[in-house]
Amino acid sequence: MDVQGFFKDYIRDYKGLDIYKEDRGGRAFNQWNYEDGCLLLGCKKMYEVTGDRFYRDYVVRFMEPYVREDGGIESYVMGEYNLDFVNAGKLFYFMYDETGEDRYRKAAGMLMEQLSHQPRLKTGNFWHKLIYPFQVWLDGLYMAQPFYMEYENRFNGRKNYYDIADQFRSVRKYLYDEKTGLYHHAYDEYKERDWADKETGLSPNFWLRSIGWYLMALVDCYELASEELYDVKRELGDLYREAVAGMLKWQDPESKLFYQLPVLAEVPGNYLETSGSLMVAYSILKACRLELLLADKYQKTGEEILEAILKRHVTDHDGRLHLGHTCEVAGLGPRHERNGSVEYYLSEPVVEDDPKAQGVLMMTYGEYLLSGHGEP
């Protein structure tokens, strides 16, 4: 399979999500969102690994219309205190390095301003969004913490490393399940939401992609963490090793993939889901490269997940390749909808050509190439 050809065809066709109605300079661009960020982070990875400027130029063209000279971000609303808005901001560091334009440093500072005022639970964790008060979701750890740590490295003298570590630590305390080795999707501090257990505040199920977000957050922050504050780096590594060991207990032995609801493989309607499986593979391959995991023990596992996705779920049905079996979206609330039940998680649309899955596929493939492989 020409994997990079598949990536480039997808990128050329991708128009983004929710076209923003106000054109700037004659160009329409998308609402600021985390899903475009996932795809662009995949492009960034492929450029760093291959040196192919096709990927670099795509990121620059896509990002350039969003950022004004004063660092303002088109269609971004700070007052929503939405951690999802931070994810695509990870590209601001890349844009600053590639172009030297100070507006991208200022834009990163604007997102950091949001995090500086982000409402928090009593545990110290950021609220997921203003519309999800007093709640921490695993998704938000990936959206915000790697951005936060890179900002600390570049612009703030690593002064808030312990805040980052504390947020991961409290997630381990409140969302981890000793019996399964997995993390619940979310926690409601006041135990008031329809989905929240009235004693623990936890959502009732383990959702694959949320655990995937968490694994990627840990391994990305581990890579960014300075050896000068080794206690933080060591703690992130310990949390990652425990979390990935728990996840691997639920790997389907035949397909090498993971179910949408990992502990409920036998439930009718449950299915092997691609985006979350890729997140597990990405984290493993990266952890092996960073020597956080023993490559002799884990490298093959990460490779098998990637190879299974490419073999089973990248298909040609109209003269083009498509990545399928991706849960389009899943969440909790904010009011009485999305109750976190088994039926809810299995009712969300299963789609193909999703930018989240495609971006993580590119990131995973980049790690695969870094391990010395050619085309699988």
Side-chain angles (χ1 to χ4, degrees), residues 106-121:
K106 294 176 181 177
M110 178 169 289
L111 292 180
M112 193 61 230
E113 182 74 7
Q114 174 190 321
L115 294 184
S116 297
H117 296 93
Q118 188 83 7
R120 295 182 184 237
L121 288 72

Side-chain angles (χ1 to χ4, degrees), residues 215 239-248 280 283-284 293 298:
L215 292 173
L239 288 170
Y240 173 77
R241 281 189 289 263
E242 177 186 62
V244 79
M247 188 73 250
L248 288 174
V280 178
S283 81
I284 290 172
L293 293 178
Y298 289 97

